[in-house]
Amino acid sequence: MRPLLAAADPVLAKLDRFGPLPEADRALLRAITADSRWVTATSDLIRQDEPADGAFLVLDGFACRYKLRKTGMRQITAYLIPGDICGLDAAALAWSDHAVGTLSACRVARLAPEAIELLLASRSLAAALQMSRRIDAAVARAWLVSVGRRSAIERLAHLFCELHVRLRAVGLVSEDGFSLPITQIDLADTTGLTSVHVNRSLQDMRREGLIELRKRRLRILDLPRLRALAEFDPAYLQLIGRDAA
Amino acid sequence: MRPLLAAADPVLAKLDRFGPLPEADRALLRAITADSRWVTATSDLIRQDEPADGAFLVLDGFACRYKLRKTGMRQITAYLIPGDICGLDAAALAWSDHAVGTLSACRVARLAPEAIELLLASRSLAAALQMSRRIDAAVARAWLVSVGRRSAIERLAHLFCELHVRLRAVGLVSEDGFSLPITQIDLADTTGLTSVHVNRSLQDMRREGLIELRKRRLRILDLPRLRALAEFDPAYLQLIGRDAA
DNA sequence: CGCCTGCTTGATCACAGTCAAAAACGGTGG
DNA sequence: CCACCGTTTTTGACTGTGATCAAGCAGGCG
């Protein structure tokens, strides 16, 4: 793990894990991510049922994929953290079944269609992106298990374990935990609960000495117990040696 | 739609929709699916946490992806119907985060690693498979919305609408509905409910005149109302002209 | 300082789960 | 053809997790 480099360039930090990238790819990525901008929280990068205006790389902050019901109910289907990409499908199909929006302020780099072409033209980058898709699919399955078959506390525990591993892979976890710049409403829309119940479950977790969560910062106090509670096995994230922690 | 051809070769019927395949690809697929075998219900094609023994094409019957909790609880994360493929990732990674098992008796064709190579070597087939992956991801998102934010009846309604479109695309829907060779326990593990509650919800749906379900056969009696109930829009399945029904 | 958003708490409700048992179904073999 | 057996479906009574409704509180920000 190379946390410092990682924090500087999360995209490289992430993709590089799936087999070291040739210098040409690294240069391409650097060029693309050079031109980034900040967007405020709660803004849409990709809108549901519309074509996407290119793809987006998340360089800083939290974004998410989500779907809205006609009733206004929201279900978040994925988190996008620094290093993650979105909109490749939406750009290819000129349509998206879901929206992508920011949960916090985010630094993003937009990839114009030509930039996407360049990216996919590289065999090694295309392979890395495919690996990334595989992980996304595995994460989606894990979420489905959580929402379908886990209790409230277990869902939150599993989510925190997942984020812990993913954020660590891009160098965003330090001794005192990691930044989690999202509201309890967001957590509720992620886990299929209400914000009231999320609040009560978080209090249970604090009381149990599992976590500390305040000022948008999450600290895992007892990782082994949290993982046991969530039945969390990081293997599916493919971000570590299959066996290592 | 070409139901008769489709029923004869669901794999071709499915992949051909994503842009007509050249004859070379069609021949390759025919060659591969020629060697098929029947497996009984409740048998695993791919086991969790293990490498896959090649990939599998489902030619007949229902299979599913699923994950088991240590407690024995099961969450089904996807249905595999005739024309669907599985195990590509498991073969590539020599590991799978989930299991794939049959729900009914199934006719399947095994693809040895060399056959997979051949498949992916074709640009057009690789593109069709990628399209198929995109749809799988969209379906997974729709399921997450169901389990996270829909009531019991709505979840079942949405599932039936999805299956109706997917099965019709491979010519498996007739005037009197379609074969649904799965138990209420399977439906429960799909929707994140208990089988008791699924049973009661199905009775509600029958009483409402929405469906008829007996002898492993589902008939949708009022499609417009079923779709309205589920807020179902088939666009995400990409199996139809973006606009057509 | 005041407002808005997000967090917290309390009281009550309901959807879905649990436990248990009976009925119906579908094979299988005699 | 029927008796038997396991599986699946159905029903009933009761429970509980998490939803709903409502109000108060804290804190960040203009």
Side-chain angles (χ1 to χ4, degrees):
Chain A
M1 241 178 296
R2 277 161 292 178
L4 289 178
L5 168 70
D9 193 336
V11 181
L12 257 179
K14 183 183 175 188
L15 297 183
D16 216 31
R17 289 178 172 264
F18 311 137
L21 294 170
E23 184 50 33
D25 289 344
R26 309 172 71 88
L28 176 58
L29 284 176
R30 268 191 295 268
I32 283 172
T33 57
D35 179 26
S36 66
R37 66 192 159 93
W38 280 93
V39 293
T40 60
T42 338
S43 47
D44 275 355
L45 300 176
I46 294 170
R47 257 179 293 275
Q48 194 167 333
D49 293 320
E50 291 183 20
D53 183 25
F56 293 91
L57 281 169
V58 177
L59 302 176
D60 216 315
F62 273 54
C64 70
R65 299 178 193 275
Y66 70 92
K67 282 170 86 93
L68 287 179
R69 290 194 52 182
K70 284 174 188 164
T71 61
M73 276 183 147
R74 178 177 67 154
Q75 176 67 46
I76 293 175
T77 64
Y79 280 177
L80 299 170
I81 64 168
D84 287 338
I85 193 169
C86 66
L88 249 27
D89 290 346
L93 299 174
W95 184 78
S96 181
D97 67 299
H98 64 283
V100 178
T102 55
L103 293 171
S104 69
C106 283
R107 190 162 65 88
V108 301
R110 192 178 88 82
L111 303 192
E114 310 81 57
I116 298 176
E117 291 294 330
L118 280 174
L119 227 64
L120 296 178
S122 156
R123 268 247 141 284
S124 41
L125 269 180
L129 288 172
Q130 199 192 2
M131 192 61 201
S132 173
R133 280 168 179 285
R134 285 192 183 114
I135 296 175
D136 290 348
V139 170
R141 285 187 284 268
W143 282 33
L144 205 47
V145 174
S146 271
V147 178
R149 289 284 181 245
R150 277 195 253 262
S151 71
I153 294 194
E154 290 166 348
R155 292 180 208 186
L156 290 167
H158 198 278
L159 179 65
F160 294 157
C161 288
E162 175 202 317
L163 288 175
H164 179 242
V165 171
R166 288 174 61 193
L167 289 167
R168 199 176 44 176
V170 287
L172 292 174
V173 174
S174 66
E175 202 43 58
D176 66 330
F178 52 87
S179 165
L180 190 67
I182 69 179
T183 68
Q184 292 181 6
I185 297 171
D186 298 328
L187 286 175
D189 289 342
T190 303
T191 50
L193 303 166
T194 58
S195 64
V196 172
H197 200 65
V198 164
N199 182 284
R200 292 183 167 128
S201 301
L202 287 174
Q203 288 180 53
D204 288 347
M205 296 175 82
R206 283 190 268 245
R207 215 171 300 122
E208 278 292 321
L210 291 168
I211 60 160
E212 194 175 286
L213 176 57
R214 41 186 243 267
K215 305 237 188 183
R216 312 268 116 124
R217 208 168 172 80
L218 179 74
R219 193 164 175 197
I220 296 176
L221 298 177
D222 191 338
L223 184 57
R225 210 143 57 85
L226 194 71
R227 287 191 167 181
L229 175 61
E231 290 180 359
F232 180 82
D233 174 355
Y236 73 105
L237 293 170
Q238 306 276 332
L239 292 172
I240 44 167
R242 179 72 42 76
D243 22 39
Chain B
M1 236 176 298
R2 278 163 293 182
L4 290 179
L5 168 70
D9 193 337
V11 181
L12 257 179
K14 183 184 175 189
L15 297 183
D16 216 31
R17 292 179 168 262
F18 311 137
L21 294 171
E23 183 51 35
D25 289 344
R26 309 171 69 88
L28 176 58
L29 284 177
R30 270 191 296 268
I32 283 172
T33 56
D35 179 27
S36 66
R37 66 192 161 95
W38 281 93
V39 292
T40 60
T42 338
S43 47
D44 275 354
L45 300 175
I46 294 170
R47 257 178 292 277
Q48 193 167 333
D49 293 320
E50 291 184 19
D53 184 25
F56 293 92
L57 281 170
V58 177
L59 302 176
D60 216 316
F62 274 52
C64 71
R65 300 178 192 275
Y66 69 91
K67 283 171 83 97
L68 288 178
R69 291 194 51 183
K70 284 174 189 161
T71 61
M73 277 184 147
R74 177 177 68 154
Q75 176 67 46
I76 292 175
T77 64
Y79 280 178
L80 300 169
I81 64 169
D84 287 337
I85 192 170
C86 67
L88 249 27
D89 289 347
L93 298 174
W95 184 79
S96 181
D97 65 301
H98 64 282
V100 177
T102 55
L103 293 171
S104 69
C106 284
R107 190 163 65 88
V108 300
R110 192 178 88 82
L111 304 192
E114 310 82 55
I116 298 177
E117 291 293 331
L118 280 175
L119 228 63
L120 297 178
S122 155
R123 267 250 144 281
S124 43
L125 269 179
L129 288 172
Q130 199 192 1
M131 192 63 202
S132 172
R133 280 168 178 287
R134 285 193 183 113
I135 295 175
D136 290 349
V139 169
R141 285 187 284 268
W143 283 31
L144 204 47
V145 174
S146 271
V147 178
R149 288 289 183 242
R150 277 195 254 262
S151 70
I153 292 193
E154 291 166 347
R155 292 181 210 185
L156 289 167
H158 199 279
L159 179 65
F160 293 157
C161 289
E162 175 201 316
L163 287 175
H164 179 243
V165 171
R166 287 175 60 193
L167 288 168
R168 200 177 43 177
V170 286
L172 292 173
V173 174
S174 66
E175 202 45 56
D176 66 329
F178 52 87
S179 165
L180 189 66
I182 68 179
T183 68
Q184 292 181 8
I185 296 172
D186 297 329
L187 286 175
D189 289 343
T190 303
T191 51
L193 302 166
T194 58
S195 64
V196 171
H197 199 64
V198 164
N199 182 283
R200 293 185 164 127
S201 301
L202 287 175
Q203 288 180 52
D204 288 346
M205 295 176 82
R206 283 189 268 244
R207 215 172 299 122
E208 278 291 320
L210 290 168
I211 60 161
E212 196 176 286
L213 176 57
R214 42 185 245 265
K215 304 234 189 186
R216 309 270 118 123
R217 210 169 168 79
L218 179 73
R219 194 167 173 195
I220 296 176
L221 299 176
D222 192 337
L223 184 57
R225 210 144 56 83
L226 193 71
R227 285 190 170 182
L229 175 62
E231 290 179 359
F232 180 81
D233 174 356
Y236 73 103
L237 292 171
Q238 306 274 331
L239 293 171
I240 43 167
R242 178 76 40 76
D243 23 41

